[in-house]
Structure formats: structure tokens, C-alpha cells
Amino acid sequence: MKLLAYPFDSGYILKKKKSIKRELLENDNLITKKIALLSGSTIGVTKDILEIFLLNEGIKPIFFEGDYNRFYEEAVFDYKEIAEFNPDIIYIHTTVKNVIDFPKVGLKKGESEKLVNEEMKRYIQVWESLKNNIGCSVILNTFEYSPYRVMGNMEAYHDNGSIRYINSLNQVIIEYARENSGFYINDLNYQAASYGLYNWFDHSVYYLYKYPFAMNAIPMVCHNISNIIKSLFGKNKKALVVDLDNTLWGGVIGDDGVENIELGVETPKGMVFSEIQRYIKKIMELGVSLSVCSKNELSNAKKGFDHPANELNVEDFTVFKANWDNKNLNIKDIASEINIMDDSIVFIDDNPAERQLVREGLPNVMVPELDEPERYIDIIDKSGFFEITNLSEDDKKRNEYYRNERRRIETQKGFNDYTSYLESLNMSSEICAFNNQNIERVVQLINKTNQFNLTTLRRTKSDIEKYIKDLNAITICATLDDKFGSNGIVSCMIASINDDAMEINLWVMSCRVFKRELENAIFDRLVLECISRGIYKIIGKYYVTKKNNYVSKLYETLGFSIIEEDEDHSIWELNISDDYAKKNKIIEVNINGQK
Amino acid sequence: MDRNEIFNEVIAIFRDVFDDDSLEVVESTSSKDIEDWDSLEHINLILAMENKFQVKFVLDEVALLNNVGEMVDLIKPKVNENE
């Protein structure tokens, strides 16, 4: 929804929250998630606004709302109530108003460190209790700085300074989140700074209603929390498509020529575009695929990258579209060439008419409203399209995978017969159970895969850790390498024993490796695991979503018979025997890590 | 801005906040007359007025905002100060 896109009008969102919610609920493609909000202060409006931002991401929250300022008691003593609610996410809404004790000026050296431990003891109790008794993902706030400084600037560095103290408290929070999987930080301290502390504190709403910060800051905070949550549920954007003229450099390459475009330190505008390119390069390094969509002659467009001040180069782009076709058509092609859904794409263009065309032609593509080039970065950055909650080794290599895929497509053109093409790839796969080394990637793959996804069961890291320990569960993940390079882990399966059968609870595969027959190799592994456990029946389920039609006939292809079907789902069954003939004949499989 | 203009803007805010385009709002309308007007929505009303008229209510004033007429009376001098 456009009015929820950054930069948004907070006052308008707060005023119209009821009608906004009504409109967002009309979307019939929402996933439901349970979210427990634990309170350090009044939470009412925060809950309503968080709901709106989550609905905007396609997530319909069911809330558990903790009592006013009872986060400690509820987490440590009354956790059974939270456990019964069985949340997917817990958010603890604490702020600097919850800090009980600040160091007094007269404390001896070292005593304020003791006070830090004293203060944080009860938070650690809260986190430990949630970790041990609930085990879902938990979002924590850092503390923002206090509104007053008795000692002035010395509060930042005196032994007993309040600013130094808050930094020490935050360090405890940060270290905990770094060391404990499933704990994520909503950096309230940064948000308050970004909002401006002077405006952040609204003393009358605090004394009247115990709202810890200005009401108008609530949408910004909720937008941040919702970005973390949507990222955890795999709703991050995967690709950035950029225009060239006046987006990556100043001027028009076709008219001005490479020597006259504005880029680099010579002009103010040139510096702006260099900074934009540096920022986009950093996005790319997170594993976001980068493509060009420009109205230009291809040769002219590429010439722009001959300018010595470029931070990006032609090889950085997965797909390079420079032609005179409508941009919505080009972006549609880009999506299909990278093999991602159009709702995973962000498109950046300085031209309002092009933006409008893409918005109308491809309503699922995110097209942020841009104004002046010096504000582009701020808008892309604060929109939170690429909010990271989990950065795997795989992310850093993703652009290499995309490039290899382009080379494969080129090779395929030389073959008339698809099987001989597959054979020519010299594919090999390492298949193993989930473990501590691959868990980050497993979690990510499970949560972000939409097309090859049979049950759309999303799972957090803590859930996956439980499956690893569960002796009734089989976990399988597979890599796929070929002569063009490695693809990393590209498929995961979880199956568990249900009566006398093995039921496939979850099976996902990255769109990177579709049509490579890897599913056969994985299925072979499942069958062997079943036989070794004396199980001879396998059940597979397919739940229909808007995006997973690709696998609607997967079980049929694997030889299953259908036993139940309606418009929302189908259930399939296969009986196996000890003389099972392996389906995979093309990929060389290495089996590791037997459970 | 005269009193009537402010009153009409206040009515519009009530209709937005309660998401009801046909909501009847008169000078004497108070929280007893609107079912959804609880403490949470009260803050939203005040905030929407502060944002709309670019004014700030001080602590002592918020307690006085019991009905629509009183709200308009409090806003009017502040708006005129800004003009």
C-alpha cells in the first residue's frame, strides 16, 4: 500500500488506522502468524500500527498482548500462558523508561559496571526463560539515550555517566543476541537517534498514558519491527532492478556521451551518484541480484560503465536490459530469466512516468517514490526491502550463482536434447542431514522459497534445531555443483514418522536448480532412509498457494497415487519395497552425515 | 480560522478516527455517546488534532477535553496564535 511506503505520513497512518486495516484485510493471500507482545509500557496503539505494517507484508498477526509493564513477570513466572498461546514471534517492548537504576555521580570506580550487571540480570532472566520455555524467535529493543544529561557531555564518558551506562546496557543486549540463535534486535537506540531525541520524547503522552515515546514515532518503530518479522518469514526482496540515466549517473549517456555524464568527485552531483553506486554495490554484496532496465541502445548503455568513476561494472548485473521496450515487459523478462517472482523485485528509476508504468503493469514489483538523487539512498535504505536477519555464506555468493546460471542457459542452446545437456553439466550433489554448519542456509531456504514448496510450512531456527534432535524426523539437504560452479545448498526436506508411514512435512528447492532432476536424488535418499527404518509407505501433501503451481504434479511424477484432493490441497501415497530402483541417473551423489 | 471551520475539521477527524463517515458529532458529544471512544481512541483523537492544527496540548489541558465543544474551545486560541 503506497501510504505505508517510506517516507510515510505518520499522523495520517495513526488517524486512519481503522480504515487502512479494513482495506488491507481484503487481501485474500495472507499468512497467519502468532505474535506475543510483552509490555514495558503502554502498547495499545503500537499493536494496531504493527498490525497494519504486517498486513501490508501479507502477514496477518494474531496477538497475545501482555499486561502493562509486566514483561518480566510474564516471561519469568507466568510463561505458561505465553507457551499456551504458542507464538511464532515474541516482541519485548522495552525502552529507556524501563531502566530502574542509573549510576549516581558519587559511585566509586567500577561500581557502575556492577550496576550494569544488576540491571541486566532481570533481562537475562527474561530471555533465558523465553529461550528455554517457549523457544520461538524473540525480538529485543536496545535502549535509547535518556532525554536529559545532568553532567552535559560528560555523561558520555564519565564512570557514572548515563549515556556511557546505556551503551554498556546495550552491549549486554547485543552480545546476547549475537550468541543466542533466535534472538533479534530492533535497534530502538538507532531509531530514536534517527527520529531525533528532542522529538522522540513526548513527556505529556508519557505522564498521561505511559507511552514511552512520541505517538508520531510509533509508525517508524513498527515499520522496523515489521521489517524484521517479514524478513524472518522469508518476505525480503531478492532483486534490485535499476535504471541508468539519472539513476546510476547524472545525464543521458546516449546524448551526452561517456565523457560528459556526471559521476565522481569533480561535481557535487557526480559525488551523489558515486555514493548511490557504492550503496547499491553494498546491497549486491548481501546477495541481492542486480539487473539493469534502461531505455537505451545496448551499446550506449554499456559504454556508460567505461567511465572511470564507476563503482559498479557491467559484470555486476545478472541481467542487462537496454532497449526501447516498455519497462514493465523488460522487468517481467528479468524476473523469468533469474527465475524469481515479480513480488521479489525492487525497481529504482528517476522517471515518474516509468515508475507509474511499472506499478500499473506489475503491481507486485516494489517501486519506491524517488525525488532528488541525494535522497535516493535514504529512501531505499529506510524502506527496509532487504532487512537482514540471517546472512549466510550462501548469500555472499549468490550473484556468482546467478552468473553461472546465465552461462548454463547459453550452453543449453547448443543442445537439441535436454538429457544430453544435463549429462554435459557433470552434476554432483552432496546430500546430508541438517547440522550446525548448514542450519543458517536451511532456515533461509525454508522460509524464502515460494515456487518449489509443497506445504509452505515456515520454520524458525529454533524449530529446525528441534527437528535435528528429533529421532522420528528425517532431515535432508542437498547441494548441487556442476562444471560451471557450485550452487551451495539448494534443497531441504523434513519428513517424520506418522503411524506406519513417513510423511513429508516440508520440501523446498531453490529456483536456481529447477529442471535438473535433483528431486530424484533427494527422493532416493528419503526412500533409503525409510527402508533402513523399516517404513514402506510415504505420504506427501501439496497445499495450493498462488505461487507453487510448479510442484502441483511433483508427487505424481515421482509415482505416488492420489488419495485425497480438493481445491486447497492434495494428499499422495507411495508404497515402496526393498528392491526400490533409484530414480536419479544423472547426478553423482555423495552421501554424508548419516543421522 | 473561525470556530466553525475548526469545528468542521474536528468532525472530520472524529469520522476518520472512528472510521465512520456518517458519525453524528455535535458540540456536546462526549465519550458516553460514541461506543468506541475509549482511552486508546482518546489519545488518537488528541494526536490527530495536534497533527492537524499543528498545536500541542499541555498536560493540564488534556484532562479538560471531555466533549467536542471543549476540544474546539481549546484549539481555537492556539490556532489563532499560530496565524
Side-chain angles (χ1 to χ4, degrees):
Chain A
M1 190 184 267
K2 207 172 163 188
L3 69 96
L4 295 176
Y6 180 85
F8 39 71
D9 177 345
S10 294
Y12 191 79
I13 293 172
L14 287 159
K15 185 172 73 172
K16 300 284 270 184
K17 64 186 166 70
K18 284 197 172 140
S19 70
I20 295 171
K21 177 179 166 184
R22 191 158 38 83
E23 200 179 315
L24 289 168
L25 280 171
E26 284 167 13
N27 175 0
D28 54 4
N29 195 22
L30 298 167
I31 56 166
T32 301
K33 290 292 164 191
K34 288 182 173 181
I35 300 176
L37 306 175
L38 302 188
S39 149
S41 46
T42 309
I43 216 159
V45 175
T46 310
K47 183 186 79 173
D48 292 347
I49 302 299
L50 179 59
E51 180 173 30
I52 288 174
F53 277 104
L54 288 171
L55 285 170
N56 194 43
E57 298 290 350
I59 298 168
K60 185 180 177 185
I62 299 173
F63 287 117
F64 168 97
E65 191 180 347
D67 289 334
Y68 172 77
N69 198 9
R70 298 246 310 158
F71 71 97
Y72 173 74
E73 293 83 351
E74 286 173 342
V76 177
F77 306 114
D78 306 334
Y79 58 81
K80 284 210 174 91
E81 223 182 304
I82 304 172
E84 262 167 42
F85 173 71
N86 193 18
D88 297 295
I89 304 266
I90 296 172
Y91 166 63
I92 312 175
H93 188 55
T94 46
T95 68
V96 71
K97 303 285 186 198
N98 295 100
V99 176
I100 292 174
D101 215 358
F102 278 91
K104 294 179 183 53
V105 179
L107 284 187
K108 289 197 200 84
K109 217 176 169 64
E111 280 185 312
S112 82
E113 274 68 26
K114 259 186 239 158
L115 206 58
V116 170
N117 293 336
E118 205 53 44
E119 185 71 40
M120 293 314 289
K121 209 193 276 169
R122 59 186 198 123
Y123 289 91
I124 292 171
Q125 253 183 300
V126 166
W127 306 332
E128 286 287 301
S129 171
L130 296 177
K131 182 172 74 178
N132 298 328
N133 299 312
I134 318 286
C136 70
S137 299
V138 180
I139 301 175
L140 316 169
N141 285 347
T142 48
F143 294 115
E144 77 278 37
Y145 293 132
S146 27
Y148 311 115
R149 300 181 303 169
V150 182
M151 291 191 276
N153 290 288
M154 203 180 209
E155 296 279 356
Y157 60 104
H158 188 271
D159 270 354
N160 303 319
S162 66
I163 300 297
R164 178 172 178 265
Y165 182 67
I166 289 169
N167 284 333
S168 304
L169 300 182
N170 282 340
Q171 203 51 43
V172 176
I173 300 173
I174 290 163
E175 285 309 319
Y176 194 89
R178 285 168 59 87
E179 282 161 24
N180 290 277
S181 72
F183 283 76
Y184 303 92
I185 286 182
N186 176 50
D187 195 359
L188 202 71
N189 192 31
Y190 180 89
Q191 291 157 29
S194 172
Y195 195 82
L197 275 185
Y198 177 78
N199 295 313
W200 172 264
F201 290 105
D202 180 340
H203 306 294
S204 55
V205 296
Y206 179 67
Y207 292 116
L208 283 163
Y209 311 109
K210 292 290 190 297
Y211 276 97
F213 47 80
M215 307 291 287
N216 281 329
I218 291 176
M220 176 195 67
V221 174
C222 292
H223 184 225
N224 271 273
I225 302 167
S226 127
N227 281 337
I228 296 172
I229 296 176
K230 65 109 183 167
S231 169
L232 288 174
F233 292 117
K235 287 176 169 283
N236 265 358
K237 304 299 169 192
K238 297 173 185 169
L240 180 64
V241 177
V242 294
D243 168 52
L244 297 177
D245 293 333
N246 290 312
T247 301
L248 287 195
W249 52 66
V252 177
I253 185 75
D255 297 340
D256 302 336
V258 67
E259 56 291 339
N260 293 316
I261 54 172
E262 282 197 273
L263 195 61
V265 294
E266 281 79 19
T267 65
K269 219 165 199 178
M271 288 190 261
V272 168
F273 285 105
S274 289
E275 191 62 31
I276 292 170
Q277 288 203 11
R278 271 194 290 276
Y279 184 83
I280 290 177
K281 192 164 186 132
K282 282 185 190 154
I283 295 180
M284 183 185 81
E285 285 161 1
L286 295 174
V288 172
S289 154
L290 209 56
S291 290
V292 164
C293 177
S294 164
K295 279 199 168 154
N296 256 313
E297 293 299 333
L298 183 62
S299 57
N300 280 338
K302 289 196 170 167
K303 227 175 267 161
F305 289 93
D306 293 341
H307 193 289
N310 274 288
E311 303 284 338
L312 293 163
N313 59 54
V314 173
E315 285 72 45
D316 289 330
F317 300 99
T318 317
V319 183
F320 200 109
K321 293 269 179 201
N323 54 43
W324 302 97
D325 294 340
N326 280 347
K327 292 202 172 180
N328 53 329
L329 303 176
N330 274 319
I331 293 174
K332 206 170 164 202
D333 284 352
I334 292 172
S336 91
E337 285 184 40
I338 315 177
N339 203 2
I340 58 173
M341 311 293 294
D342 59 7
D343 64 2
S344 302
I345 293 179
V346 178
F347 173 57
I348 305 289
D349 195 315
D350 65 297
N351 184 335
E354 300 291 358
R355 294 199 295 264
Q356 199 47 35
L357 187 77
V358 172
R359 279 192 198 116
E360 279 165 18
L362 298 169
N364 294 325
V365 171
M366 288 303 299
V367 187
E369 204 49 33
L370 302 178
D371 43 26
E372 296 304 315
E374 60 271 29
R375 301 232 317 129
Y376 289 0
I377 297 178
D378 181 68
I379 289 169
I380 302 168
D381 191 81
K382 294 211 171 63
S383 293
F385 300 126
F386 311 106
E387 177 91 24
I388 299 293
T389 44
N390 167 329
L391 191 61
S392 66
E393 281 306 307
D394 189 80
D395 291 315
K396 296 170 202 159
K397 293 187 199 138
R398 184 164 309 110
N399 275 291
E400 192 186 314
Y401 302 143
Y402 285 131
R403 272 192 291 277
N404 291 340
E405 185 57 19
R406 305 276 305 163
R407 290 159 62 201
R408 278 180 205 108
I409 292 169
E410 286 306 309
T411 311
Q412 195 191 327
K413 287 177 186 161
F415 284 90
N416 295 324
D417 168 38
Y418 192 72
T419 308
S420 12
Y421 159 69
L422 286 182
E423 280 164 355
S424 80
L425 289 176
N426 297 331
M427 292 186 287
S428 68
S429 170
E430 193 155 300
I431 298 185
C432 68
F434 300 172
N435 57 42
N436 286 334
Q437 281 76 52
N438 58 36
I439 189 164
E440 298 287 341
R441 172 64 180 154
V442 164
V443 171
Q444 189 180 53
L445 198 60
I446 287 172
N447 287 309
K448 72 195 294 186
T449 305
N450 293 312
Q451 299 177 80
F452 191 119
N453 191 338
L454 286 145
T455 51
T456 337
L457 206 59
R458 304 299 191 188
R459 285 291 174 257
T460 62
K461 192 170 170 187
S462 356
D463 298 329
I464 298 302
E465 283 166 345
K466 283 180 210 153
Y467 282 115
I468 293 178
K469 289 183 197 136
D470 183 355
L471 293 175
N472 281 322
I474 295 175
T475 63
I476 299 175
C477 60
T479 63
L480 188 64
D481 297 352
D482 63 23
K483 67 174 181 186
F484 291 106
S486 164
N487 284 293
I489 293 173
V490 284
S491 184
C492 305
M493 179 194 273
I494 298 173
S496 55
I497 299 173
N498 189 357
D499 285 334
D500 59 338
M502 186 62 74
E503 181 179 329
I504 301 171
N505 308 108
L506 175 160
W507 191 2
V508 299
M509 190 181 294
S510 163
C511 49
R512 253 182 241 164
V513 296
F514 281 7
K515 304 208 166 90
R516 305 275 289 275
E517 302 193 4
L518 180 62
E519 53 273 32
N520 288 343
I522 293 168
F523 191 72
D524 288 346
R525 162 72 178 236
L526 174 73
V527 170
L528 292 183
E529 291 256 7
C530 288
I531 292 172
S532 75
R533 289 159 189 249
I535 293 171
Y536 293 94
K537 184 157 76 176
I538 299 176
I539 302 283
K541 291 181 178 171
Y542 166 69
Y543 288 93
V544 182
T545 72
K546 284 193 173 163
K547 297 176 174 176
N548 68 356
N549 186 52
Y550 180 76
V551 285
S552 59
K553 296 279 176 263
L554 175 75
Y555 286 123
E556 189 180 322
T557 318
L558 291 170
F560 283 63
S561 347
I562 196 157
I563 53 175
E564 200 180 307
E565 184 176 27
D566 65 21
E567 57 187 22
D568 298 326
H569 79 296
S570 50
I571 301 180
W572 304 76
E573 186 184 273
L574 178 72
N575 291 304
I576 47 172
S577 61
D578 287 325
D579 56 3
Y580 172 81
K582 284 191 179 174
K583 292 180 186 298
N584 164 48
K585 295 186 177 69
I586 291 180
I587 303 169
E588 184 194 322
V589 174
N590 309 306
I591 301 267
N592 274 313
Q594 296 273 6
K595 198 164 157 181
Chain B
M1 233 180 175
D2 67 28
R3 195 171 187 288
N4 215 18
E5 286 169 324
I6 295 172
F7 184 64
N8 286 332
E9 292 288 357
V10 169
I11 294 176
I13 287 170
F14 268 75
R15 290 179 176 164
D16 275 343
V17 167
F18 294 110
D19 194 21
D20 179 355
D21 290 338
S22 57
L23 187 70
E24 283 289 330
V25 181
V26 295
E27 291 267 344
S28 64
T29 301
S30 74
S31 59
K32 289 189 213 76
D33 305 309
I34 298 176
E35 202 190 336
D36 288 348
W37 188 345
D38 55 15
S39 63
L40 193 140
E41 295 305 342
H42 190 68
I43 310 166
N44 281 325
L45 286 169
I46 289 170
L47 180 76
M49 288 182 217
E50 286 183 340
N51 282 335
K52 171 77 208 172
F53 299 107
Q54 292 294 304
V55 299
K56 187 90 193 121
F57 297 113
V58 300
L59 205 59
D60 288 338
E61 289 169 337
V62 176
L64 301 174
L65 299 170
N66 294 318
N67 67 38
V68 173
E70 287 175 14
M71 288 175 167
V72 177
D73 288 337
L74 259 176
I75 294 165
K76 188 166 181 298
K78 290 176 189 282
V79 171
N80 291 343
E81 233 169 76
N82 289 348
E83 277 174 356

